[in-house]
């Protein structure tokens, strides 16, 4: 059995050279090799191409390199969670490329598997696909994505043995497993290094043949950023909760369901064990339970796609981001409930970008919109200025075409029987006159 060298943070960070492409594991600050990133920030290596789901948080992880001016380009899925990254991209200070989260994970996995690229229906018909080769395969428009590799990968694991075998903890797997396969040099930052044989073979998630160096570094609450803890108290207005309750009524026992951020997350607070609904989160978990009530954070609990600590129900399981999106694209998610900015008469969805606003990240929305068997959109009926969000044709950048099954707003419920936008229900205290006045799209009234 080989022995992987154990080195210090400074030595590890010194292996990254000016101009390198750096893969960084983690989802937010969960499973993030934050100590390696901060050591690299101290050294000051420049002109780096950074590839990760997001650039950490402001001043944390990749966010520290960004503030130092060490990044020339960012490739990722969701930069909105770091205001510095959004500003740098929109000001033209740093080049950037956005990929849907599942596309990013699969591109890295493909790079590590020696595959040159792949076709995916995700992002077809959107601005993300502009300039990319497309084909119709089995009647479905698909976008070609080139695989991704890097010079160096910084990843984070919970345990390693001296042969470099790695074990991840809860949702800390995320992008780490794929990134461990897709770089010329892989350095794993781990909580604990144990002798060979201490990790049972069935608990080894990344094999030692992928790992070149180990660094031992302990995670603290400060390293976890916004996921460090969670408040057990939150106030939700009745209107938003009514939308969540109506969405819950669409779910049936045994459904595998993915909840987006915003109003959809409220559905999780309503689900009980008796409902028999299995919640999926795209960063690598099935069987998501409610938010912990003890104030604990990501040191003690898994996190969901909103980077919020959650509990794990009986029968829960963890996996990496590439597997998670294989579930989504493969049609194994029964229902996705997402927020929306616009939905139109043709069941098109726009929910990820508003030109001129500090939003920069598509996350998993495009994958879920195309891959889920049913897509339910929960959103307020109008914008703050009173304009309708249910429109004849989406003006905002599209998330996906022809994918919406149902719209639930504070005023009404719409569906698409026979492909026609149809009003099927009024929400409490709403009138048909209200709905008609506040909906710019044409619709059939079936109330």
């Amino acid at each position: 059995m080989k022995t992987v060298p154990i080195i210090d943070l400074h030595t590890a960070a010194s292996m990254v050279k000016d101009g390198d492409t750096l893969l960084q594991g983690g989802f937010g600050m969960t499973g993030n090799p934050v100590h390696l990133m901060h050591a690299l920030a101290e050294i000051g290596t420049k002109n780096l191409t950074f590839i990760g789901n997001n650039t950490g948080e402001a001043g944390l992880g990749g966010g520290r390199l960004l503030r130092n001016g060490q990044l020339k380009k960012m490739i990722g899925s969701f930069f909105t969670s770091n205001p510095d990254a959004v500003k740098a991209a929109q000001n033209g200070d740093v080049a950037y490329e956005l990929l849907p989260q599942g596309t990013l994970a699969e591109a890295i996995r493909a790079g590590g598997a020696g595959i040159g690229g792949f076709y995916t229906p995700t992002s077809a018909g959107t601005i993300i696909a502009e300039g990319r080769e497309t084909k119709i395969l089995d009647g479905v428009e698909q976008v070609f994505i080139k695989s991704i590799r890097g010079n160096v990968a910084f990843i984070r694991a919970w345990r390693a043995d001296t042969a470099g075998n790695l074990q991840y903890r809860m949702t800390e797997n995320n992008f780490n497993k794929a990134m461990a396969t897709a770089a010329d040099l892989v350095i794993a930052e781990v909580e604990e290094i144990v002798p060979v044989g201490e990790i049972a073979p069935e608990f080894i998630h990344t094999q030692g043949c992928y790992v070149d160096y180990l660094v031992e570094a302990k995670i603290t609450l400060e390293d976890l950023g916004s996921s460090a803890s969670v408040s057990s108290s939150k106030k939700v207005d009745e209107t938003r909760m009514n939308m969540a309750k109506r969405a819950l009524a669409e779910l049936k026992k045994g459904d595998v369901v993915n909840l987006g951020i915003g109003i959809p997350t409220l559905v999780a607070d309503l689900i009980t064990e008796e409902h028999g609904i299995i919640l999926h989160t795209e960063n690598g978990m099935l069987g998501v339970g409610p938010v912990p009530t003890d104030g604990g954070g990501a040191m003690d609990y898994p996190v969901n796609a909103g980077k919020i600590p959650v509990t794990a129900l009986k029968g829960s399981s963890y996996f990496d981001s590439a597997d998670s999106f294989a579930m989504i694209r493969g049609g194994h998610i029964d229902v996705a409930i997402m927020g929306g900015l616009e939905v139109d008469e043709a069941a098109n969805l726009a929910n990820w970008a508003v030109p001129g606003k500090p939003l920069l990240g598509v996350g998993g929305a495009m994958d879920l919109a195309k891959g889920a068997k049913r897509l339910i959109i929960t959103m307020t009926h109008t914008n703050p200025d009173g304009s309708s969000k249910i429109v004849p044709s989406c003006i905002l950048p599209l998330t996906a075409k022809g994918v919406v099954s149902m719209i639930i707003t504070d005023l009404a419920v719409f569906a698409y029987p026979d492909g026609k936008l149809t009003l099927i229900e009024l929400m409490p205290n709403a009138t048909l006159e209200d709905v008609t006045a506040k909906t710019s799209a044409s619709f059939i009234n079936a109330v």
Side-chain angles (χ1 to χ4, degrees), residues 388-410:
S388 178
K389 290 186 176 181
I390 304 176
V391 296
S393 182
C394 289
I395 298 171
L396 295 174
L398 287 183
T399 302
K401 289 183 173 181
V403 292
V404 178
S405 305
M406 177 175 281
I407 310 165
I408 300 171
T409 78
D410 48 323

Side-chain angles (χ1 to χ4, degrees), residues 23 107-113 148-153 177-186 210:
L23 303 180
I108 295 165
R109 190 205 66 80
I148 290 174
R149 285 191 61 88
N151 300 109
V152 182
K177 182 179 177 181
M179 287 183 171
T181 71
D184 302 328
L185 181 71
V186 176
Y210 295 113

Side-chain angles (χ1 to χ4, degrees), residues 250-260 267 271 275-282 284-288 315 317 319 323-337 368 371-376:
E250 291 298 313
L251 308 181
K252 62 182 186 295
K253 192 169 186 177
D255 275 349
V256 178
V257 179
N258 184 287
L259 302 177
V267 178
I271 293 173
H275 284 104
I277 293 164
I278 305 161
L279 291 183
H280 168 274
T281 181
E282 55 259 41
M285 182 180 179
L286 272 176
V288 179
S317 60
F319 34 88
D323 280 348
S324 184
F325 281 93
M327 293 178 190
I328 294 167
R329 287 190 306 273
H332 305 290
I333 305 300
D334 296 298
V335 184
I337 305 176
L368 283 160
K373 294 175 183 175
R374 289 189 71 208
L375 177 62
I376 299 171

Side-chain angles (χ1 to χ4, degrees), residues 230-270:
V230 62
S231 171
S232 60
S233 63
K234 61 179 178 180
K235 292 183 179 180
V236 179
D237 67 73
E238 184 179 3
T239 300
R240 289 165 63 88
M241 190 54 74
N242 282 340
M243 285 187 270
K245 289 176 180 177
R246 183 60 185 82
L248 176 62
E250 291 298 313
L251 308 181
K252 62 182 186 295
K253 192 169 186 177
D255 275 349
V256 178
V257 179
N258 184 287
L259 302 177
I261 60 175
I263 295 169
T265 60
L266 300 178
V267 178
D269 297 333
L270 302 172

Side-chain angles (χ1 to χ4, degrees), residues 3-347:
T3 300
V4 172
I6 301 169
I7 58 178
D8 61 72
L9 287 165
H10 186 273
T11 300
S14 298
M15 294 181 179
V16 181
K17 306 302 180 188
D18 283 358
D20 272 355
T21 294
L22 174 67
L23 303 180
Q24 184 230 273
F27 184 87
M29 299 309 298
T30 303
N32 191 303
V34 61
H35 301 93
L36 283 170
M37 297 301 289
H38 290 177
L40 185 57
E42 290 179 8
I43 291 173
T45 310
K46 293 187 178 295
N47 297 315
L48 300 174
T49 296
F50 172 93
I51 300 177
N53 184 60
N54 49 282
T55 50
E57 296 184 8
L60 277 178
R64 190 168 293 187
L65 272 64
L66 180 65
R67 281 190 175 179
N68 284 355
Q70 294 172 258
L71 306 184
K72 71 174 181 180
K73 185 174 182 179
M74 307 178 293
I75 300 173
S77 162
F78 194 77
F79 300 130
T80 302
S81 55
N82 185 344
D84 291 345
V86 176
K87 184 178 179 181
Q90 293 184 339
N91 288 349
D93 299 328
V94 178
Y96 71 94
E97 180 181 352
L98 276 176
L99 289 171
Q101 192 178 131
T103 299
L104 176 65
E106 187 65 16
I108 295 165
R109 190 205 66 80
I115 296 170
F118 57 94
Y119 285 93
T120 175
T122 302
S123 80
T126 76
I127 61 174
I128 297 292
E130 290 179 0
R132 298 186 185 275
E133 178 190 346
T134 61
K135 279 188 178 181
I136 304 297
L137 299 174
D138 296 327
V140 178
E141 184 180 8
Q142 307 221 19
V143 181
F144 181 76
I145 303 295
K146 187 178 181 298
S147 63
I148 290 174
R149 285 191 61 88
N151 300 109
V152 182
F154 282 174
I155 63 171
R156 172 83 193 181
W158 186 245
R159 301 175 82 203
D161 66 23
T162 51
N165 296 307
L166 305 180
Q167 179 183 7
Y168 303 107
R169 188 183 71 120
M170 300 187 293
T171 49
E172 293 173 357
N173 191 329
N174 52 68
F175 279 84
N176 284 299
K177 182 179 177 181
M179 287 183 171
T181 71
D184 302 328
L185 181 71
V186 176
I187 303 173
E189 172 189 310
V190 299
E191 188 77 9
E192 179 186 20
I193 300 173
V194 299
V196 170
E198 293 252 340
I199 305 175
E202 59 268 31
F203 295 140
I204 292 171
H205 303 128
T206 289
Q207 291 70 35
C209 62
Y210 295 113
V211 178
D212 297 296
Y213 295 96
L214 295 173
V215 174
E216 189 172 87
K218 307 295 184 183
I219 285 289
T220 67
L221 285 175
E222 291 74 21
D223 299 325
L224 294 172
S226 60
S227 296
S229 62
V230 62
S231 171
S232 60
S233 63
K234 61 179 178 180
K235 292 183 179 180
V236 179
D237 67 73
E238 184 179 3
T239 300
R240 289 165 63 88
M241 190 54 74
N242 282 340
M243 285 187 270
K245 289 176 180 177
R246 183 60 185 82
L248 176 62
E250 291 298 313
L251 308 181
K252 62 182 186 295
K253 192 169 186 177
D255 275 349
V256 178
V257 179
N258 184 287
L259 302 177
I261 60 175
I263 295 169
T265 60
L266 300 178
V267 178
D269 297 333
L270 302 172
I271 293 173
T272 66
E273 191 172 337
E274 288 69 34
H275 284 104
I277 293 164
I278 305 161
L279 291 183
H280 168 274
T281 181
E282 55 259 41
N283 56 307
M285 182 180 179
L286 272 176
V288 179
V291 169
T293 57
D294 60 5
M299 290 281 283
D300 311 296
Y301 294 100
V303 303
N304 64 14
K307 304 176 183 70
I308 297 170
V310 292
T311 53
L313 301 180
K314 291 179 181 178
S316 296
S317 60
Y318 303 112
F319 34 88
D320 78 313
S321 293
D323 280 348
S324 184
F325 281 93
M327 293 178 190
I328 294 167
R329 287 190 306 273
H332 305 290
I333 305 300
D334 296 298
V335 184
I337 305 176
M338 301 168 67
L341 297 172
E342 285 180 339
V343 181
D344 68 18
E345 295 172 14

